[in-house]
């Protein structure tokens, strides 16, 4: 089974306040040690965001890179994957950091709708998938709760939110994994698979796997 | 191309299977001794790990190949005001499962 963890959103390493970065390092160490004790290898990943903007984006990105390389031990670096967020760092921002530092990138397609949707996924996606090298790429999938609370997660996945991505990704013919972030958890997963039965290009091969 | 789906932390199909039971710092501090406080944290962590194991079995049974652990398996693990205990040492056997 492919497993991961997502340290809390206040776990960030690009703060101008070094104490916050140190606290975040402790949290990453906690996750890393739990995974080690579970006997999980480097393929058990820890998902992180870039962090805050601190009103100076370019500097904040530099601080992230610097701290990633010099504050985080290499054994933990190997577990980290980076995700675009919904307020500060777009998919293109995160991709360029991932490419520079050799870090896999998790694309969150809901966050992409919240921030930076003018960036064309058709252009970015081949490069995003390439950051995973020989690992299977992973994306995050959720649907907006409603127009007012667009950033919040809905109970289930709206089929069209996945399909629009699927038909884009299909051109790349690359296997990938989808982490569903919905209030209804595994029920949302089965609900989506149920909906996918109606799509003629999709073949359900297992309760939680499809062929396209 | 193969696409696999997974979910986060908790299964809604399993009864009483929270993997992230916790306690507030205020309630923890009401316990009279450090031993009692650590005992409480350890009991919660054991429940969380037991429930995580149930969830992993459930995933396996349902051929779900992708799962994200809760970030709160060990309650208050990185909180600076909590008495230190070596959860890796005490729970090592459980985590290995």
């Amino acid at each position: 089974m492919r497993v991961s963890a997502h340290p809390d959103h206040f776990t960030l390493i690009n703060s101008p306040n070094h104490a916050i970065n140190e606290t975040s390092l402790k949290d990453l160490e906690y996750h890393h040690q739990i995974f080690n004790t579970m006997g999980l290898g480097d393929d058990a990943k820890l998902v992180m965001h870039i962090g805050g903007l601190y009103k100076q984006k370019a500097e904040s990105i530099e601080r992230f890179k610097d701290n990633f390389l010099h504050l985080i031990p290499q054994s933990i670096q190997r577990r980290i994957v980076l995700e675009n967020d919904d307020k500060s760092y777009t998919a293109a921002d995160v991709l360029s950091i991932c490419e520079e530092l050799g870090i896999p990138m998790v694309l969150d397609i809901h966050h992409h709708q919240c921030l930076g949707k003018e960036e064309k996924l058709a252009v970015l996606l081949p490069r995003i998938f390439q950051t995973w090298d020989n690992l299977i790429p992973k994306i995050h999938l959720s649907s907006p709760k409603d127009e007012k609370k667009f950033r919040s997660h809905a109970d289930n996945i709206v089929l069209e939110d996945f399909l629009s991505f699927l038909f884009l990704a299909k051109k790349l013919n690359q296997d990938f994994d989808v982490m569903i972030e919905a209030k209804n958890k595994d029920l949302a997963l089965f609900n989506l698979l149920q909906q996918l039965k109606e799509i003629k290009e999709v073949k359900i091969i297992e309760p939680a796997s499809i062929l396209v | 191309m193969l696409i696999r789906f997974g979910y986060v932390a908790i299964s809604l199909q399993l009864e009483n299977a929270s993997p992230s039971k916790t306690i507030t710092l205020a309630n923890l501090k009401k316990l009279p001794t450090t031993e009692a406080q650590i005992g409480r944290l350890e009991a919660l962590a054991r429940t969380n790990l037991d429930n995580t194991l149930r969830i992993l079995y459930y995933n396996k049974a349902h051929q779900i190949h992708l799962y994200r652990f809760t970030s709160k398996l060990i309650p208050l693990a990185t909180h600076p005001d909590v008495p230190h205990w070596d959860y890796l040492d005490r729970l090592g056997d459980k985590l290995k499962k």
Side-chain angles (χ1 to χ4, degrees):
Chain A
M1 198 177 307
R2 181 182 196 178
V3 293
S4 59
H6 196 347
D8 286 309
H9 62 275
F10 51 78
T11 299
L12 51 88
I13 58 166
N14 80 334
S15 171
N17 176 353
H18 198 63
I20 289 176
N21 300 328
E22 288 289 343
T23 304
S24 299
L25 175 59
K26 286 206 169 59
D27 191 52
L28 290 170
E29 283 170 345
Y30 153 81
H31 284 98
H32 178 59
Q33 287 171 348
I34 296 243
F35 277 9
N36 282 350
T37 310
M38 287 176 170
L40 298 170
D42 291 343
D43 54 340
K45 298 297 186 190
L46 299 174
V47 183
M48 281 187 78
H49 297 289
I50 306 302
L53 287 171
Y54 308 105
K55 296 180 183 167
Q56 288 170 312
K57 190 173 185 180
E59 279 182 28
S60 298
I61 288 175
E62 287 311 307
R63 212 163 36 238
F64 174 88
K65 291 191 232 174
D66 197 42
N67 285 338
F68 180 84
L69 293 173
H70 301 113
L71 177 70
I72 308 291
Q74 285 193 359
S75 56
I76 300 181
Q77 286 181 20
R78 287 195 290 271
R79 285 204 189 276
I80 290 176
V81 298
L82 296 175
E83 177 190 354
N84 58 309
D85 67 86
D86 57 359
K87 286 184 175 151
S88 306
Y89 295 97
T90 67
D93 293 335
V94 177
L95 178 60
S96 69
I97 295 168
C98 285
E99 286 179 334
E100 185 179 335
L101 301 184
I103 305 171
M105 174 174 168
V106 173
L107 174 70
D108 186 309
I109 59 180
H110 182 185
H111 291 168
H112 178 69
Q113 287 301 312
C114 298
L115 181 76
K117 67 177 169 189
E118 68 284 357
E119 298 170 0
K120 294 281 174 268
L121 281 188
V123 178
L124 297 179
L125 196 59
R127 288 167 55 199
I128 291 173
F129 278 2
Q130 270 170 24
T131 62
W132 289 87
D133 200 13
N134 57 350
L135 298 174
I136 295 172
K138 183 167 64 174
I139 69 155
H140 288 177
L141 173 65
S142 51
S143 288
K145 191 172 172 68
D146 52 45
E147 278 303 314
K148 271 189 182 166
K149 291 185 176 170
F150 193 82
R151 287 193 173 96
S152 302
H153 293 168
D155 291 350
N156 289 306
I157 303 299
V158 175
L159 181 62
E160 285 67 31
D161 290 338
F162 177 63
L163 285 186
S164 55
F165 179 80
L166 179 64
F167 290 120
L168 192 73
K170 194 169 179 278
K171 299 188 184 99
L172 301 178
N173 196 27
Q174 157 75 55
D175 296 347
F176 62 95
D177 289 342
V178 180
M179 183 58 76
I180 292 176
E181 297 178 318
K183 293 268 182 285
N184 284 346
K185 308 291 181 183
D186 53 333
L187 299 182
L189 187 164
F190 295 129
N191 175 276
L192 176 64
L193 270 282
Q194 190 66 34
Q195 296 182 72
L196 283 169
K197 277 185 184 162
E198 310 300 321
I199 308 300
K200 68 174 193 311
E201 292 90 341
V202 171
K203 186 173 178 226
I204 315 276
I205 55 162
E206 279 182 8
S209 303
I210 62 172
L211 278 178
V212 178
Chain B
M1 64 201 241
L2 174 67
I3 303 168
R4 306 182 301 176
F5 297 85
Y7 68 100
V8 175
I10 183 164
S11 161
L12 299 188
Q13 302 252 67
L14 294 174
E15 300 261 335
N16 296 319
S18 169
S20 50
K21 286 182 188 292
T22 191
I23 183 170
T24 63
L25 190 62
N27 279 334
L28 187 71
K29 293 288 180 190
K30 283 178 194 160
L31 295 171
T33 63
T34 305
E35 287 72 38
Q37 293 176 11
I38 291 175
R40 182 83 185 113
L41 293 172
E42 184 174 337
L44 286 165
R46 284 185 181 279
T47 303
N48 290 342
L49 289 171
D50 283 337
N51 285 338
T52 298
L53 199 59
R54 284 174 62 201
I55 292 167
L56 291 172
Y57 286 141
Y58 166 86
N59 292 346
K60 195 160 176 138
H62 288 80
Q63 296 171 288
I64 297 171
H65 306 293
L66 196 66
Y67 173 68
R68 182 196 298 165
F69 290 108
T70 168
S71 59
K72 300 179 181 69
L73 275 176
I74 313 292
L76 307 176
T78 54
H79 200 293
D81 298 330
V82 164
H84 176 78
W85 64 294
D86 194 339
Y87 46 81
L88 294 174
D89 189 46
R90 291 216 199 182
L91 300 172
D93 288 347
K94 229 175 197 4
L95 287 167
K96 283 188 191 104
K97 282 191 197 163

